[in-house]
Amino acid sequence: MKRSKPIVVFVLLAYFISWLAFILLALNHRHFIFLFPDDSAHARQQDVWHSFGALGPILAALLTLRHFHNEGNRRQFRRSYSVNKLSPKGWLLSFSPLLILPFPL
């Protein structure tokens, strides 16, 4: 159970952070709370809230890493990831959202 505990915490945090933004958007749409007017003029504010919800998994990963590992382990974790280690396929996957972004615009 000790090895699976960080995974459980990560999943719960990722869902909580992501769904918090989406639930607030839904409550605003149904006029239970007032964050911003729900019309086309304020669509950019809705996009920011959606973006915050999309950041849930990375924020959960950083919080889980900070909680379950000491400074030495975190330093080793950061050193193990390097831009120099990426293969061409890795670079393509890294920048694929930027390559796809212009199509809907």
Side-chain angles (χ1 to χ4, degrees):
M1 181 66 178
K2 187 173 179 168
R3 288 186 61 88
S4 66
K5 192 173 183 181
I7 295 171
V8 171
V9 170
F10 164 73
V11 170
L12 292 176
L13 273 174
Y15 273 105
F16 176 76
I17 294 169
S18 296
W19 280 98
L20 178 66
F22 301 139
I23 288 172
L24 289 174
L25 278 171
L27 291 174
N28 186 62
H29 180 70
R30 296 290 181 190
H31 305 292
F32 289 117
I33 62 173
F34 184 75
L35 296 173
F36 47 82
D38 192 16
D39 56 4
S40 61
H42 294 87
R44 295 283 183 206
Q45 290 176 339
Q46 292 176 12
D47 291 344
V48 170
W49 279 95
H50 279 103
S51 298
F52 178 72
L55 291 175
I58 189 68
L59 291 175
L62 294 173
L63 290 171
T64 304
L65 183 68
R66 182 171 177 87
H67 181 71
F68 284 100
H69 297 286
N70 61 22
E71 182 61 34
N73 288 347
R74 288 193 301 258
R75 194 174 305 121
Q76 181 183 1
F77 178 79
R78 284 190 299 265
R79 275 188 281 179
S80 68
Y81 287 95
S82 172
V83 176
N84 299 333
K85 292 181 181 180
L86 279 178
S87 66
K89 186 177 180 180
W91 280 103
L92 180 65
L93 289 173
S94 297
F95 286 105
S96 62
L98 296 177
L99 299 173
I100 298 170
L101 179 67
F103 291 115
L105 299 176

